[in-house]
Amino acid sequence: MKSLHHPNRKDFMLPAVLHALSDPIRLKMVAQMHSSGEQACKNFDVPIANSTRSQHIRTLREAGITFTRFEGTKRLLSLRTEDLNSRFPGLLDSILNVYDKEEV
């Protein structure tokens, strides 16, 4: 399997993170990982084609929001919460708190 690029914590850029979190589909995926932990790519409850889901996953990874690891043929995604909180303290929690309130 090919190696995937994951940016270093110091290379996270606020505009890229905010852009990645601005899309409702990506925000839903992040909220699902936040509440349920690591997820297989195919387990996201989003009404989109596989190719579109892959693009959203790449955007999240390249912004530094998620980490992707391989387990056999599966790709498992997890949030880089510690890295995000170190670089942008409270940002992810603030966004997800508002998201949770709007989804209720």
Side-chain angles (χ1 to χ4, degrees):
M1 298 223 173
K2 74 177 190 177
S3 177
L4 299 175
H5 171 71
H6 294 89
N8 291 321
R9 177 190 303 183
K10 66 178 178 48
D11 296 328
F12 292 2
M13 301 300 296
L14 184 59
V17 171
L18 292 175
H19 168 74
L21 294 173
S22 70
D23 183 273
I25 296 291
R26 290 191 293 262
L27 189 53
K28 184 174 184 173
M29 294 167 74
V30 168
Q32 186 176 333
M33 284 183 279
H34 185 259
S35 65
S36 301
E38 186 175 61
Q39 299 287 311
C41 291
K42 67 178 184 175
N43 289 354
F44 289 106
D45 183 26
V46 290
I48 55 176
N50 288 344
S51 59
T52 304
R53 184 174 52 233
S54 293
Q55 291 174 350
H56 285 302
I57 289 169
R58 185 185 75 230
T59 299
L60 290 169
R61 179 178 40 80
E62 290 177 350
I65 296 169
T66 60
F67 180 80
T68 303
R69 72 178 181 89
F70 295 97
E71 186 176 281
T73 59
K74 290 193 281 187
R75 289 183 183 205
L76 300 170
L77 277 73
S78 59
L79 287 179
R80 294 179 66 180
T81 307
E82 184 178 316
D83 291 335
L84 285 165
N85 284 335
S86 173
R87 184 80 168 98
F88 309 112
L91 177 69
L92 186 60
D93 286 336
S94 296
I95 290 172
L96 289 173
N97 284 337
V98 171
Y99 176 79
D100 288 341
K101 289 177 185 174
E102 290 179 351
E103 287 297 302
V104 175

